[in-house]
Amino acid sequence: MIRRLYDWTMGLADHPRALWALAIVSFVESSFFPIPPDVIMIPMILARPSRAWLIAGVALISSILGGLFGYAIGAFAFETVGQPILAALGKADAMEAFNVRFNDMGFWAVLIAGMTPFPYKVITIMSGWTGMPLATFMVSSLLARGIRFFLVAALLKQFGAPIRDFIEKRLGIMFALFLAVLIGGFYVVKLL
């Protein structure tokens, strides 16, 4: 099953609309979708290393736009849905203290989450919810996602064939590792 999924993704990488698929996945991943764009981006770069910078750029722009959507969800939907629930539970004061702590480290929180497997969508929504300054959010998102996507693109462009061989020979292990990182990210979110 994993081999078929991998082969399908590699086939998608050569599809004429692959960049659109990457753009959509990058956008929705930044606001609510659980699967990171790397799942499509990596095979696309492995299949066409000459387009590595274009692929990373599409992922970056789409991710930033999706991050703005996540920010808007946090900024507008939280006030209409979340605050009344917290007030009814007597937790409004605790959330105010959390907002201050989050915004004190906001730049670093967005930067770290944007570069690591930590679910970026959590940070985008929290940034809007806590009222983080939009400029801070945008700069840290652009920096974090730019580093992440362009570093991956550079490594794959430089070492593409050996990395592809490594992945293909150890596909089961790589998939298990990916799942462990994904589940670990959700666990960390739950602890916060």
Side-chain angles (χ1 to χ4, degrees):
M1 179 183 92
I2 295 169
R3 172 58 63 185
R4 283 195 309 258
L5 180 61
Y6 177 80
D7 291 340
W8 176 82
T9 306
M10 290 301 285
L12 178 63
D14 275 334
H15 193 276
R17 293 191 181 97
L19 284 175
W20 285 106
L22 174 63
I24 291 167
V25 169
S26 295
F27 180 89
V28 297
E29 182 272 337
S30 295
S31 46
F32 59 87
F33 191 63
I35 306 297
D38 306 64
V39 171
I40 295 177
M41 190 178 116
I42 291 170
M44 286 177 69
I45 294 171
L46 289 173
R48 309 258 320 259
S50 63
R51 298 181 73 184
W53 306 130
L54 173 65
I55 293 165
V58 167
L60 173 62
I61 291 167
S62 302
S63 181
I64 296 299
L65 292 174
L68 281 172
F69 184 64
Y71 186 96
I73 290 171
F76 302 113
F78 180 77
E79 290 179 9
T80 58
V81 177
Q83 276 185 331
I85 293 170
L86 291 173
L89 295 172
K91 299 290 185 185
D93 293 336
M95 295 318 294
E96 186 62 37
F98 175 79
N99 290 352
V100 171
R101 279 190 317 225
F102 181 78
N103 281 337
D104 284 347
M105 62 175 205
F107 176 85
W108 295 106
V110 175
L111 185 69
I112 291 167
M115 291 173 47
T116 64
F118 185 85
Y120 179 60
K121 73 198 82 3
V122 171
I123 294 297
T124 66
I125 293 170
M126 287 174 58
S127 296
W129 166 50
T130 62
M132 176 187 289
L134 187 58
T136 301
F137 173 75
M138 290 300 298
V139 168
S140 55
S141 289
L142 188 61
L143 184 61
R145 297 309 256 188
I147 289 171
R148 177 176 172 175
F149 295 138
F150 281 93
L151 181 61
V152 167
L155 290 171
L156 291 171
K157 186 176 172 85
Q158 181 67 32
F159 305 108
I163 288 175
R164 183 177 183 166
D165 291 342
F166 177 81
I167 290 171
E168 287 180 352
K169 288 179 184 174
R170 295 161 183 84
L171 190 58
I173 293 169
M174 297 306 291
F175 183 73
L177 182 61
F178 171 76
L179 284 178
V181 169
L182 185 65
I183 292 168
F186 284 116
Y187 181 73
V188 167
V189 169
K190 204 174 192 182
L191 290 177
L192 293 176

